[in-house]
């Protein structure tokens, strides 16, 4: 007797408007920052959070990005869509002001943005410019602190704040360069925020996917080789996809993760365990 091969993941890969997963997050409202296109980790998170019943607010970087993000926001029936460039004075505060006005509270925050100037990203850490390092820290790390501060008064007990990290924060990864120290700072920030917000019943996590073919990742030198090496070394011989990251995020946002905070959660098909 033969059987059809079982799919690796029987749940909808990213977004199927005719398929609902459940109501685990029904009644929860959250902000997802970092959707650039349908391949973004942030979109995988947003799609799964919505599929579990959450109401969403999304942001887009600028007018150029809007034409890619708006159709996705419509697909997943996002309630709010707002511009956000964390390097522009006042834009971050404006996002949270609108959430306060429209919703009055917030149950979760997903921070999925990072940036380093190309010349600094492609060079040695020792050669990184002061301005490039400062910009990478501002966009990739400090923006999470700023959002957490603005979200804190809106968060209800049981709320969660998440950011996206990478294995290069813990181990040296070829060509990851200055983003390694920046992501290490982000993971340390996660632990401190968890300690500071825990008394209010707010949990904080860093999620660490393996290498994914996103627009942001395309800026890393020799990225195709990095992906090939990850597939070769992963215990299951593959990469994860953005939907798998999204479902992990949905679990962390939900009540099932109430006993966890301050952790870096790896969603990389076991790659971080391999030498």
């Amino acid at each position: 007797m033969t059987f059809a091969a079982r799919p690796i993941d029987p749940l909808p890969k990213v977004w199927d408007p005719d398929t609902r997963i459940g109501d685990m997050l029904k009644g929860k409202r959250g902000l997802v920052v970092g959707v650039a296109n349908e391949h973004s980790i942030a979109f995988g998170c947003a799609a799964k959070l919505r599929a579990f019943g959450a109401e969403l607010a999304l942001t887009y970087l600028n007018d150029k990005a809007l034409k890619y993000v708006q159709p996705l926001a419509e697909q997943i029936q996002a309630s709010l869509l707002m511009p956000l460039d964390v390097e522009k004075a006042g834009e971050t505060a404006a996002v949270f002001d609108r959430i306060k006005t429209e919703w009055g509270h917030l149950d979760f925050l997903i921070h999925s943005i990072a940036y380093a100037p190309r010349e600094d990203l492609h060079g040695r850490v020792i050669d990184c410019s002061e301005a490039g390092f400062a910009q990478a820290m501002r966009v990739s790390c400090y923006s999470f602190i700023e959002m957490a501060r603005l979200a804190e008064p809106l968060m209800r007990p049981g709320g969660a704040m998440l950011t996206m990290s990478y294995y290069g924060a813990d181990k040296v990864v070829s060509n990851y360069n200055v983003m390694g120290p920046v992501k290490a700072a982000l993971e340390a920030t996660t632990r401190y925020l968890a300690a500071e917000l825990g008394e209010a019943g707010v949990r904080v996590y860093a999620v660490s996917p393996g290498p994914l073919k996103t627009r942001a990742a395309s800026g890393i030198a020799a990225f195709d080789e990095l992906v090939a090496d990850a597939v070769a070394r992963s215990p299951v011989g593959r990469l994860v996809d953005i939907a798998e990251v999204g479902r992990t995020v949905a679990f962390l946002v939900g009540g099932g993760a109430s006993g966890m905070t301050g952790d870096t959660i790896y969603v990389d098909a076991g790659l971080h365990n391999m030498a």
Side-chain angles (χ1 to χ4, degrees):
M1 183 179 295
T2 60
F3 297 90
R6 182 181 177 183
I8 291 172
D9 186 349
L11 295 176
K13 299 309 290 181
V14 180
W15 178 251
D16 180 348
D18 299 319
T19 303
R20 281 290 320 253
I21 296 174
D23 290 322
M24 180 177 77
L25 301 178
K26 186 176 181 179
K28 291 186 180 293
R29 289 171 162 172
L31 171 65
V32 179
V33 176
V35 176
N37 56 39
E38 70 273 19
H39 304 297
S40 299
I41 293 172
F43 181 63
C45 295
K48 289 308 163 196
L49 290 162
R50 180 63 183 146
F52 278 110
E55 187 176 356
L56 298 178
L58 303 184
T59 66
Y60 59 94
L61 178 61
N62 50 34
D63 289 343
K64 183 179 179 180
L66 180 59
K67 66 180 180 180
Y68 300 103
V69 180
Q70 186 166 3
L72 300 177
E74 292 171 356
Q75 279 183 39
I76 62 175
Q77 303 168 322
S79 300
L80 300 173
L81 179 60
M82 300 166 283
L84 176 57
D85 181 341
V86 297
E87 293 191 277
K88 288 187 176 180
E91 282 204 1
T92 305
V95 166
F96 287 90
D97 284 343
R98 186 171 174 196
I99 289 172
K100 181 179 180 180
T101 299
E102 298 275 344
W103 286 350
H105 73 272
L106 199 59
D107 294 295
F108 59 86
L109 162 66
I110 312 299
H111 171 275
S112 183
I113 58 174
Y115 176 78
R118 186 177 182 87
E119 58 273 21
D120 294 297
L121 180 60
H122 286 188
R124 301 186 306 167
V125 173
I126 200 170
D127 296 322
C128 179
S129 69
E130 181 180 0
F133 186 79
Q135 187 177 19
M137 286 290 289
R138 171 70 183 90
V139 175
S140 312
C141 183
Y142 181 75
S143 63
F144 185 45
I145 297 174
E146 183 178 19
M147 290 181 200
R149 181 170 62 250
L150 293 167
E152 181 182 11
L154 301 175
M155 281 274 169
R156 300 190 293 189
M161 302 182 189
L162 288 78
T163 189
M164 296 295 153
S165 188
Y166 180 63
Y167 177 64
D170 183 59
K171 297 290 190 295
V172 175
V173 174
S174 295
N175 298 309
Y176 201 55
N177 302 333
V178 70
M179 286 307 298
V182 170
K183 290 292 189 181
L186 182 63
E187 291 188 7
T189 294
T190 296
R191 292 188 288 272
Y192 278 85
L193 293 180
E196 293 170 356
L197 296 174
E199 188 174 347
V202 176
R203 295 163 290 125
V204 188
Y205 309 97
V207 175
S208 184
L212 294 174
K213 294 183 179 181
T214 64
R215 190 178 75 175
S218 66
I220 299 173
F223 184 70
D224 288 343
E225 288 86 342
L226 181 66
V227 167
D229 178 69
V231 171
R233 293 195 300 115
S234 165
V236 296
R238 67 176 180 90
L239 303 178
V240 299
D241 62 28
I242 61 172
E244 289 175 300
V245 179
R247 279 188 293 279
T248 301
V249 166
F251 161 71
L252 294 170
V253 165
S258 60
M260 303 163 57
T261 192
D263 300 300
T264 296
I265 310 297
Y266 288 94
V267 191
D268 64 355
L271 179 63
H272 69 283
N273 292 312
M274 307 305 291

